[in-house]
């Protein structure tokens, strides 16, 4: 792991839990032997209200680290996300009056997530580590908080390393070029890092081809003295005689297979029926129910799915007009239920286009709530017992993967939802990484 010291005076001496954190990161060394990635120390990303002790950018995730100095060493720390912290059974009281230091960390992680989304950065998961000290033997966290990607720990090298690896769960490694843009978005001073330096820290090389999969058919051979070797003579093909009845049998089998194939195609074409809805006909494709999936320990239970090839009739507002002028190639809409301490409903819409340019333009339009959007399945009557009545005031998030744009909306079931809800934002961020077709 490469350490980059920022702040007003990078050479200034630090103490307390910040010193423990830096010492732990320093023990990992450069390269990918332990973790890889880049750790920005004492940086203040745009939108953050306070300097962060560290922002760790890994090939498969981003981790915000906020340090909290306790009044003294502790044997047991009770650290819930919601509620007051307790040190050895006594309530933690800070000079600034903040009863739960995790609130600061979550706000910082949320601000960084919104920053990366606004910059169209690779949608890596942003998790949170609250480093506590000077020493804590045991930290107790609710299971739900762990599922949301939050870890409270004393930054011993092994404990911090285990948390970092556990929270780095993105499906594919971030490229060196994407990592440069991400780091530059966090702090412009990191622009001096080269792609080669990032590749050495585990980020994928998006320039050099994978030689392991390259064909060697056209690579010329050379002799020991460096001269081109003469081409190898082609091996003669052995002649074989087949009985005439074997050839006739093969033709018969091929003819029978052709007849079966034609019958299968005819049946499938006859059973396909178009759906109609909205302001135009929509040709429906068979789409299996997405499987129940778990992302960062959070279970997403499927509650309905559909797939169409025409997006215009399934949209509204300016988004509908844009999709009529720029048709999509596929539309997959799915509903999920999440059962945590509270029940949440999640709508996931995946819109596919012919190229990445169209997808990028569509994402810019979809990010504007005033421009309309794509209709969730819930509006078309695809509800379920115990589900929400609507996705009004939902927490929204989008991501783009090449020519596909994913739109996620999340609401609480039976409770008021606010678009700024930090917990729902965490659920929506995980929904962006659900394995879905389309």
């Amino acid at each position: 792991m490469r350490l980059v010291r920022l702040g007003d005076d990078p050479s200034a001496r630090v103490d307390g839990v910040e010193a423990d954190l830096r010492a732990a990161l320093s023990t990992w060394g450069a390269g990918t032997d332990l973790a890889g990635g880049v750790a920005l120390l004492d940086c203040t990303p745009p939108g953050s209200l306070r300097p962060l002790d560290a922002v760790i950018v890994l090939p498969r995730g981003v981790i915000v680290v906020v340090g909290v100095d306790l009044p003294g060493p502790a044997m047991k720390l009770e650290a819930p996300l919601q509620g007051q912290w307790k040190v050895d059974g006594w309530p933690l009281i800070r000079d600034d009056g903040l009863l739960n230091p995790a609130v600061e960390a979550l706000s910082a992680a949320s601000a960084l997530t919104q920053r990366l989304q606004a910059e169209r950065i690779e949608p890596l998961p942003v998790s949170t580590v609250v480093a506590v000290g000077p020493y804590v033997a045991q930290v107790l966290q609710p299971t739900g908080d762990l599922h949301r990607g939050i870890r409270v720990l004393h930054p011993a090298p092994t404990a911090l390393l285990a948390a970092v690896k556990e929270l780095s769960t993105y499906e594919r490694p971030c490229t060196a070029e994407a990592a440069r843009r991400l780091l530059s978005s966090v702090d412009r001073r990191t622009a001096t890092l080269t792609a080669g330096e990032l590749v050495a820290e585990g980020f994928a090389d998006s320039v050099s081809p994978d030689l392991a999969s390259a064909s060697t058919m056209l690579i010329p051979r050379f002799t020991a003295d460096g001269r081109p070797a003469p081409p190898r003579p082609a091996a003669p093909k052995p002649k074989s005689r087949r009985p005439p009845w074997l050839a006739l049998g093969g033709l018969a089998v091929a003819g029978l297979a052709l007849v079966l194939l034609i019958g299968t195609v005819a049946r499938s074409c006859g059973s396909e029926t178009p759906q109609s809805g909205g302001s135009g006909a929509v040709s429906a494709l068979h789409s299996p129910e997405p499987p129940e999936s778990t992302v960062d320990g959070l279970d997403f239970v499927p509650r309905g799915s559909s797939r169409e090839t025409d997006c215009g009739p399934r949209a509204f507002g300016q988004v509908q007009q844009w999709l009529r002028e720029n048709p999509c190639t596929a539309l997959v809409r799915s509903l999920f239920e999440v059962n945590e301490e509270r029940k949440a409903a999640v709508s996931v819409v995946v819109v596919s286009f012919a190229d990445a340019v169209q997808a990028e333009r569509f994402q810019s339009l979809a990010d504007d709530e005033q421009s309309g959007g794509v209709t969730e399945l819930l509006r078309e009557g695809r509800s379920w017992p115990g589900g929400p009545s609507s996705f009004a005031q939902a927490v929204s998030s989008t991501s783009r993967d090449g020519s596909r744009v994913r739109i996620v909306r999340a609401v609480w079931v039976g409770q008021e939802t606010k678009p700024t809800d930090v917990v729902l934002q965490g659920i929506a961020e995980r929904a962006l990484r659900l394995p879905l077709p389309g």
Side-chain angles (χ1 to χ4, degrees):
M1 172 166 289
R2 186 183 185 93
L3 303 185
V4 179
R5 292 175 174 82
L6 302 171
D8 297 332
D9 185 6
S11 61
R13 178 174 178 152
V14 296
D15 53 15
V17 70
E18 185 178 0
D20 294 338
L21 172 65
R22 295 193 181 189
L25 294 174
S26 299
T27 61
W28 296 356
T32 59
D33 289 343
L34 291 179
V38 177
L40 307 181
L41 305 177
D42 192 22
C43 67
T44 307
S48 179
L49 299 179
R50 54 155 287 181
L52 305 178
D53 292 275
V55 174
I56 304 175
V57 181
L58 299 155
R60 296 182 184 271
V62 178
I63 299 175
V64 173
V65 184
V66 175
V68 174
D69 287 302
L70 302 177
M75 294 303 297
K76 184 173 69 172
L77 172 65
E78 300 173 50
L81 175 60
Q82 298 176 347
Q84 189 174 47
W85 284 21
K86 293 182 180 180
V87 180
D88 292 332
W90 293 88
L92 175 64
I93 300 177
R94 300 199 340 176
D95 295 338
D96 55 10
L98 191 63
L99 303 180
N100 190 330
V103 174
E104 281 184 327
L106 284 175
S107 299
S110 177
L112 182 58
T113 300
Q114 294 176 7
R115 168 73 177 179
L116 298 182
Q117 291 177 351
E119 295 281 334
R120 301 286 190 267
I121 304 297
E122 181 88 6
L124 292 175
V126 179
S127 305
T128 308
V129 168
V130 182
V132 294
Y135 173 77
V136 177
Q138 181 185 18
V139 177
L140 301 180
Q141 284 187 262
T143 304
D145 295 354
L146 296 174
H147 288 174
R148 298 187 183 109
I150 304 166
R151 299 293 183 271
V152 182
L153 51 84
H154 174 63
T158 54
L160 183 60
L161 179 62
V164 164
K165 289 187 174 182
E166 186 179 353
L167 296 172
S168 306
T169 58
Y170 195 50
E171 56 192 5
R172 64 178 184 274
C174 176
T175 64
E177 186 57 36
R180 288 188 65 186
R181 294 197 303 271
L182 193 157
L183 291 166
S184 180
S185 177
V186 176
D187 195 293
R188 301 297 181 187
R189 288 171 289 180
T190 61
T192 56
L193 292 174
T194 66
E197 291 172 326
L198 295 176
V199 169
E201 297 297 338
F203 295 96
D205 186 356
S206 58
V207 178
S208 301
D210 184 4
L211 296 181
S213 61
S215 174
T216 59
M217 293 293 292
L218 301 180
I219 298 178
R221 296 183 298 113
F222 291 86
T223 61
D225 56 1
R227 292 179 298 174
R232 295 176 178 174
K237 297 182 179 179
K239 296 182 179 180
S240 62
R241 295 180 61 85
R242 292 182 296 175
W245 61 266
L246 186 60
L248 294 176
L251 290 175
V253 172
L256 179 60
L258 180 60
V259 172
L260 293 175
L261 177 62
I262 293 173
T264 302
V265 173
R267 285 195 301 270
S268 64
C269 292
S271 63
E272 183 175 325
T273 57
Q275 281 185 345
S276 62
S279 57
V282 180
S283 59
L285 302 177
H286 176 66
S287 180
E289 186 90 350
E292 181 172 344
S293 302
T294 302
V295 181
D296 292 350
L298 196 63
D299 296 329
F300 288 82
V301 180
R303 294 302 185 189
S305 181
S306 72
R307 176 174 178 140
E308 292 84 31
T309 56
D310 188 4
C311 297
R314 300 305 187 194
F316 57 93
Q318 298 180 26
V319 172
Q320 183 183 63
Q321 181 62 34
W322 192 91
L323 287 172
R324 292 190 183 279
E325 298 172 356
N326 304 270
C328 68
T329 58
L331 170 66
V332 178
R333 296 177 296 165
S334 303
L335 295 172
F336 294 89
E337 183 177 279
V338 176
N339 289 295
E340 280 290 288
E341 296 176 358
R342 291 179 284 174
K343 183 186 294 185
V346 179
S347 166
V348 181
V349 175
V350 182
V351 188
S352 301
F353 294 90
D355 54 60
V357 176
Q358 275 188 318
E360 184 175 6
R361 293 173 180 171
F362 173 74
Q363 185 184 17
S364 300
L365 188 64
D367 282 338
D368 185 0
E369 292 286 341
Q370 305 300 319
S371 299
V374 179
T375 305
E376 303 97 0
L377 286 178
L378 192 65
R379 294 191 186 182
E380 299 181 358
R382 298 289 292 272
S383 59
W384 68 93
S389 57
S390 72
F391 278 90
Q393 301 298 317
V395 170
S396 301
S397 187
T398 66
S399 68
R400 181 173 63 87
D401 180 8
S403 60
R404 300 193 308 176
V405 176
R406 184 175 298 204
I407 305 172
V408 170
R409 293 173 63 80
V411 296
W412 293 121
V413 177
Q415 298 185 26
E416 181 184 4
T417 297
K418 296 182 179 180
T420 57
D421 192 296
V422 175
V423 178
L424 277 178
Q425 287 173 356
I427 294 176
E429 185 274 327
R430 285 158 177 77
L432 291 174
R433 293 181 279 129
L434 279 170
L436 292 175

